[in-house]
Amino acid sequence: RAFEAAARRLSFKSAATELSVTPSAVSQKIRALEADLDVTLFERTARSVALTDEGRQLQPDLTAAFLQIRQAVDRVRPSPLKSLRINSSGAVIAKWLLPRLHRFTERHPELDVSVETDSALVDMSPGGPDIVIRFTRSLPETLYARRLHEELLIPVASLELIERLDLRTPKDILRASLLHDTSLSVFAESPNWNSWFRAAGLAGQAPRTGVRFARQAADHAIDAAVSGTGVALSRSLLVHGALSDGRLVSPFGPVLCMGVSYFVACRHGAETEPHIADFLDWAEEEAALLSTLKSLHMATG
């Protein structure tokens, strides 16, 4: 241990501080090790130490070994923090959860929160995640679930694109490239740009082709809209942040109801555990802010 600390820090004094012993004790232990191995591990000068070739060969494996021992001990030592594992799709994590998660962790510093990405309904048995957030029409009855938000589809674009193409009425969208979130096609009868054109009184008009985003890439469609690539028909929960801070604008309606919702869920019975109940309550509080979406300012000004 004395050699590994000194080799890693290239300082007997720093190694002594780390090991809570004196520099003299570190030096004595290293000399004993050198005598036992019959090799010189350090080149010593009045002001510094440097590893010899033998020392450089020995140090990496010892450092890895001590790290492995430390990790093994940490795995069985009771953690001072209660863990909370949250699982959701990458789009929900990136666009909704992470921008506001700090409000939960600041309220609950006693929790060790981890976030993992998965769009499928993962195993909720002990050993799996504590919380899942899912975008679906319904969840299995084996889960305790709360509905967070019934999703809306909103046309959004950057202010720069709106001004450049003079997008003021639904008919003006015929001048714009459209961004297509084709991942929504997994839901039968889910609205899309064709549905929006009909609702906007533009039936018979063909939506312009544009970039298509599939395989859970809804967040990338939003990023493309922010960059001015085109107009996206975006999910309101995912686009709320960009609308709130002005990176995106919804220049006009209509807004379409999807009939699909976001749910926060856990194992039945786990909802009474304080740390899980706290997150469920917090998620509902945050989702309540989305109720303002139906009355969002629909003009560029």
Side-chain angles (χ1 to χ4, degrees):
R1 289 181 62 203
F3 164 77
E4 190 278 331
R8 178 164 32 84
R9 294 175 173 272
L10 289 179
S11 168
F12 287 8
K13 183 177 180 181
S14 295
T17 301
E18 177 180 322
L19 299 175
S20 299
V21 297
T22 65
S24 176
V26 169
S27 180
Q28 290 174 10
K29 289 179 182 297
I30 291 174
R31 288 193 181 280
L33 177 63
E34 289 175 321
D36 180 65
L37 297 177
D38 196 23
V39 295
T40 301
L41 298 172
F42 284 99
E43 295 174 352
R44 299 163 174 84
T45 68
R47 296 181 177 274
S48 65
V49 294
L51 287 168
T52 63
D53 289 342
E54 292 81 2
R56 282 191 291 271
Q57 291 179 39
L58 183 60
Q59 184 261 327
D61 288 341
L62 285 185
T63 297
F66 281 121
L67 176 61
Q68 187 175 4
I69 292 170
R70 191 155 52 245
Q71 290 172 337
V73 172
D74 287 344
R75 282 194 292 269
V76 298
R77 176 184 288 124
S79 172
L81 299 178
K82 185 74 172 178
S83 65
L84 180 69
R85 290 175 57 190
I86 305 166
N87 181 290
S88 190
S89 69
V92 172
I93 290 171
K95 299 302 183 187
W96 185 77
L97 180 62
L98 292 185
R100 46 188 47 79
L101 185 61
H102 66 93
R103 293 200 281 266
F104 178 78
T105 56
E106 288 169 2
R107 189 187 301 180
H108 296 283
E110 78 283 2
L111 295 179
D112 180 19
V113 177
S114 61
V115 177
E116 53 196 51
T117 302
D118 200 326
S119 58
L121 189 58
V122 297
D123 182 13
M124 294 294 289
S125 62
D130 302 296
I131 295 284
V132 293
I133 302 172
R134 288 294 180 268
F135 180 52
T136 183
R137 287 201 167 97
S138 63
L139 284 172
E141 294 183 357
T142 54
L143 298 179
Y144 172 86
R146 299 187 193 178
R147 188 191 303 270
L148 294 180
H149 176 66
E150 186 173 9
E151 190 55 287
L152 309 170
L153 290 180
I154 300 176
V156 294
S158 68
L159 184 58
E160 182 275 331
L161 181 70
I162 290 170
E163 292 178 341
R164 175 161 53 85
L165 299 181
D166 194 24
L167 303 181
R168 299 183 181 276
T169 70
K171 188 174 182 179
D172 297 334
I173 205 169
L174 296 173
R175 296 193 289 269
S177 293
L178 303 182
L179 306 177
H180 303 263
D181 178 8
T182 61
S183 66
L184 297 178
S185 62
V186 299
F187 300 103
E189 301 178 0
S190 174
N192 53 28
W193 272 120
N194 289 318
S195 310
W196 188 90
F197 269 56
R198 289 193 298 270
L202 300 174
Q205 301 284 351
R208 286 186 59 181
T209 58
V211 182
R212 298 180 179 275
F213 297 85
R215 297 182 180 273
Q216 305 299 322
D219 52 331
H220 300 311
I222 293 170
D223 293 338
V226 170
S227 70
T229 304
V231 181
L233 191 60
S234 294
R235 293 183 240 170
S236 57
L237 179 138
L238 301 183
V239 82
H240 180 261
L243 287 170
S244 299
D245 62 23
R247 285 176 293 139
L248 288 175
V249 174
S250 185
F252 37 67
V255 171
L256 305 181
C257 182
M258 282 196 64
V260 185
S261 298
Y262 294 91
F263 295 87
V264 59
C266 64
R267 299 183 302 278
H268 260 300
E271 72 275 10
T272 61
E273 297 180 27
H275 66 304
I276 293 179
D278 288 341
F279 185 86
L280 296 173
D281 292 341
W282 171 84
E284 283 192 314
E285 290 175 18
E286 292 291 334
L289 301 176
L290 299 169
S291 62
T292 61
L293 282 167
K294 290 184 180 180
S295 57
L296 278 171
H297 182 48
M298 292 292 185
T300 61

